[in-house]
Amino acid sequence: MRVLLTLACLTALLPAGAAVAEAAPAPCTAPTGPYQRPLEQALKRPVDGVQSPADCDAIRAFQAKQGLRPADGYANLATYRTLVAVQARPNPNAAGHCPVRSFRVTCVDLTRQLLWVQVNKAVRFGPIPIRSGRDSQETRNGWHRIYWRHIDHKSTLYDNAPMPYAQFFDGGQALHGRYEPLFDGGGSAGCINLALRDAKALWDLLRVGDQVYVWGTKAGTAG
């Protein structure tokens, strides 16, 4: 009878003190990215704006820790937006731009492209990275109220584009998820786009009548 040896069995046959070598990770070869400098600074690398193998390894490790795909060491927009959210976690409202209220407020910071939910000064969700409106279709500033929700909405304005977990807060503008990567294709048409997992979590938290406060200005049109 043929005997199939498992890795555990093979290991048992090795001489004492011998070890099974683990495959080394593939070399990190991503080129310099558009957000190289802020990633270098945050990851305590020499800030020269030029990718090195050690820079690439550090960025790749950050991407892997944050669940970003691909985790390839390239300093792209998704990695930078995630970095901003991570840096804001201790106190996203440190500057005091989002009004502190006794009720639930969804805070939307267009300048940093962040969203979080707070009650009084307690953060109940986030901060998370977002994608807001592009130039000429900016997300509107000020106080808003969630007036309608539709879990599997299709846009009536943009060719039935899917808007999962849509929560409308001002005219046609809504908080909603994207099936595609969050930062593909530039800004939105005015909605607040969220990663799908974040859109679902926000759907479970918010209700019709909840308040949304938007402020700031998105820099440029990219992302």
Side-chain angles (χ1 to χ4, degrees), residues 26-199:
C28 195
T29 59
T32 298
Y35 296 90
Q36 189 75 32
R37 286 181 180 274
L39 265 296
E40 289 170 346
Q41 183 174 22
L43 299 176
K44 303 188 186 310
R45 299 292 309 148
V47 182
D48 57 10
V50 179
Q51 181 84 301
S52 69
D55 292 340
C56 191
D57 285 338
I59 295 169
R60 181 167 66 175
F62 173 79
Q63 292 168 331
K65 182 177 181 180
Q66 301 304 321
L68 296 172
R69 296 292 181 270
D72 57 3
Y74 184 62
N76 58 11
L77 179 60
T79 304
Y80 172 68
R81 294 291 188 215
T82 301
L83 172 67
V84 173
V86 169
Q87 291 176 325
R89 282 175 187 168
N91 185 6
N93 201 32
H97 293 306
C98 192
V100 174
R101 297 291 187 270
S102 61
F103 49 81
R104 192 160 47 215
V105 178
T106 298
C107 305
V108 181
D109 182 345
L110 300 183
T111 303
R112 292 186 293 168
Q113 292 289 285
L114 293 178
L115 177 149
W116 67 92
V117 179
Q118 64 186 35
V119 178
N120 293 313
K121 293 183 178 181
V123 176
R124 301 296 176 83
F125 174 77
I128 57 168
I130 62 169
R131 187 181 81 154
S132 66
R134 61 178 70 94
D135 282 356
S136 78
Q137 292 182 300
E138 293 90 347
T139 306
R140 292 181 281 272
N141 278 201
W143 279 105
H144 309 285
R145 182 182 66 85
I146 294 174
Y147 63 88
W148 187 58
R149 302 182 346 136
H150 190 185
I151 198 168
D152 191 27
H153 189 68
K154 304 292 190 299
S155 174
T156 58
L157 298 175
Y158 299 102
D159 300 321
N160 290 317
M163 299 171 62
Y165 304 106
Q167 305 189 73
F168 287 85
F169 61 86
D170 183 32
Q173 296 188 349
L175 311 163
H176 71 82
R178 276 175 57 88
Y179 292 113
E180 303 84 0
L182 184 57
F183 299 106
D184 283 3
S188 75
C191 289
I192 299 298
N193 294 163
L194 313 168
L196 197 61
R197 66 181 181 277
D198 292 333

